[in-house]
Amino acid sequence: MSYNNANVYLKKARYGKDLVRFMRVYKEGNVQHCTELTVKLLLEGDIETSYTKADNSVVVTTDTCKNTVNIVGKKSANVDNIEVFAQEITEHVLRQYSHISAAFVDIIKHKWTRLIVDGKPHPHSFVRDGEDIQTTHVEHYRAGNEINITSGLDKLLVLKTTGSAFHGYYVDEYTTLEPTWDRIFSTVVDCKWTFKSKQSASLRQIDYKAIHAGIKQITCDTFAKDDSASVQATLYLMQQQILARFPEIAEVSYALPNKHYVGVDLSRFNIDNKGKNTSIYHPLADPSGLITATAARKESKL
């Protein structure tokens, strides 16, 4: 079946394999290390005829993309360093397939923490002690050997029971929210940071694991210590510290949804659960506030 329309053209095409999940185990004597990843690999290039002419000769199959991820993972010493591992995948693709002009890799690193048994780290046992994940998105273009990397910390659930206020906001006839000088502050952290460099080789020298650990520490410490006037103010304080500490980062973004906890009305039982006497709260699933912002330095330090 064919259908020709001179007014239609293929504007953009990208394909590959998603949800490639594997665990890599490294053995050092009697101590073992494990890293579990979910990987997406997408390709761009001279593939238009596979769409417009039913020409499969230009198709690197999605099954090949899956195999590429697994084989590079088997050979790599850097699976735990997801930004470097992603670059190893894109470099292989561009070296192997001359008609592919760009490769895109997304990686989710699932959490496994070594168990402490009898007061000591166990050599080969682990626990998932939280749902927070590390992420990275790597774009690698053949033209100019351009590489862009955005990494992230996501699904980090935090809560504090005091040290947060919200008052002095704009009020009009639609405003019903009561000001508060003390409230529960809870959110699920979604933080992303971008590395940009004119020298792609420098992107292999960055200590990505230390930066991720540092950003998580800044996020948690600032959340706990800041006498928060608003989510916005606390968010920006985190961003300022990250850009000051890590010159490799060009910009950093946060998306912080409010996980609302409201005092339960117990007045019909003649029980005061308001203001300073609030100690029973109801968690609200929705609606929720969503606070986002991106902070950047005027010039990348790389």
Side-chain angles (χ1 to χ4, degrees):
M1 179 179 179
S2 63
Y3 183 83
N4 293 318
N5 187 335
N7 195 41
V8 175
Y9 73 103
L10 187 68
K11 184 176 181 180
K12 186 177 182 180
R14 186 181 295 181
Y15 78 97
K17 204 71 161 183
D18 195 7
L19 301 176
V20 181
R21 191 157 182 169
F22 73 92
M23 174 174 283
R24 178 66 156 93
V25 176
Y26 293 99
K27 301 175 182 178
E28 295 179 314
N30 69 332
V31 176
Q32 299 192 6
H33 310 268
C34 70
T35 300
E36 184 176 345
L37 306 181
T38 298
V39 182
K40 176 168 65 175
L41 169 60
L42 298 181
L43 312 178
E44 280 186 4
D46 295 330
I47 57 175
E48 180 177 349
T49 56
S50 66
Y51 293 84
T52 61
K53 304 295 184 182
D55 173 18
N56 289 337
S57 67
V58 296
V59 177
V60 178
T61 70
T62 67
D63 188 64
T64 301
C65 293
K66 176 202 69 179
N67 294 337
T68 296
V69 170
N70 286 324
I71 293 170
V72 175
K74 173 65 174 178
K75 295 179 177 179
S76 175
N78 298 301
V79 172
D80 192 52
N81 194 344
I82 56 176
E83 290 85 354
V84 174
F85 177 54
Q87 291 177 75
E88 291 177 345
I89 295 172
T90 62
E91 287 173 359
H92 167 83
V93 168
L94 295 180
R95 184 172 58 248
Q96 187 81 0
Y97 309 109
S98 60
H99 68 294
I100 298 300
S101 60
F104 307 86
V105 173
D106 288 276
I107 297 179
I108 298 170
K109 181 179 178 181
H110 304 279
K111 190 172 186 181
W112 288 111
T113 303
R114 191 174 298 278
L115 277 172
I116 303 299
V117 178
D118 297 329
K120 298 181 295 184
H122 196 271
H124 57 255
S125 297
F126 306 84
V127 63
R128 180 159 296 168
D129 57 348
E131 293 304 313
D132 52 300
I133 56 174
Q134 298 180 38
T135 65
T136 195
H137 171 77
V138 174
E139 302 176 350
H140 193 164
Y141 300 89
R142 186 182 299 280
N145 196 31
E146 178 186 351
I147 301 175
N148 299 318
I149 301 176
T150 298
S151 294
L153 166 66
D154 199 5
K155 299 183 181 180
L156 177 66
L157 178 61
V158 292
L159 178 148
K160 64 179 182 180
T161 55
T162 189
S164 176
F166 191 56
H167 51 82
Y169 44 80
Y170 189 92
V171 175
D172 64 10
E173 64 270 26
Y174 295 103
T175 305
T176 59
L177 183 69
E178 294 292 333
T180 180
W181 282 259
D182 189 27
R183 63 174 181 171
I184 289 178
F185 180 5
S186 180
T187 189
V188 180
V189 175
D190 177 4
C191 179
K192 291 182 173 60
W193 53 95
T194 299
F195 306 92
K196 292 182 180 179
S197 175
K198 298 177 181 178
Q199 304 294 328
S200 60
S202 66
L203 293 172
R204 294 295 290 269
Q205 309 305 317
I206 295 173
D207 191 345
Y208 295 103
K209 294 171 71 174
I211 289 174
H212 182 276
I215 288 176
K216 184 176 181 180
Q217 192 67 57
I218 288 171
T219 299
C220 292
D221 287 357
T222 305
F223 174 82
K225 294 177 180 179
D226 183 39
D227 190 7
S228 178
S230 66
V231 178
Q232 289 89 332
T234 301
L235 181 160
Y236 188 59
L237 185 58
M238 295 172 181
Q239 291 174 320
Q240 288 178 301
Q241 294 176 81
I242 290 169
L243 290 174
R245 181 170 170 182
F246 300 112
E248 304 93 336
I249 295 176
E251 62 180 47
V252 56
S253 301
Y254 277 95
L256 300 181
N258 263 326
K259 306 288 287 183
H260 295 293
Y261 288 77
V262 297
V264 177
D265 184 3
L266 298 176
S267 59
R268 62 185 299 177
F269 304 103
N270 294 319
I271 297 174
D272 184 5
N273 192 53
K274 294 182 178 180
K276 294 181 178 180
N277 293 317
T278 307
S279 58
I280 297 293
Y281 297 85
H282 174 67
L284 293 181
D286 52 58
S288 65
L290 177 60
I291 315 302
T292 69
T294 300
R297 62 179 83 254
K298 294 181 179 179
E299 292 184 4
S300 174
K301 298 293 186 180
L302 292 182

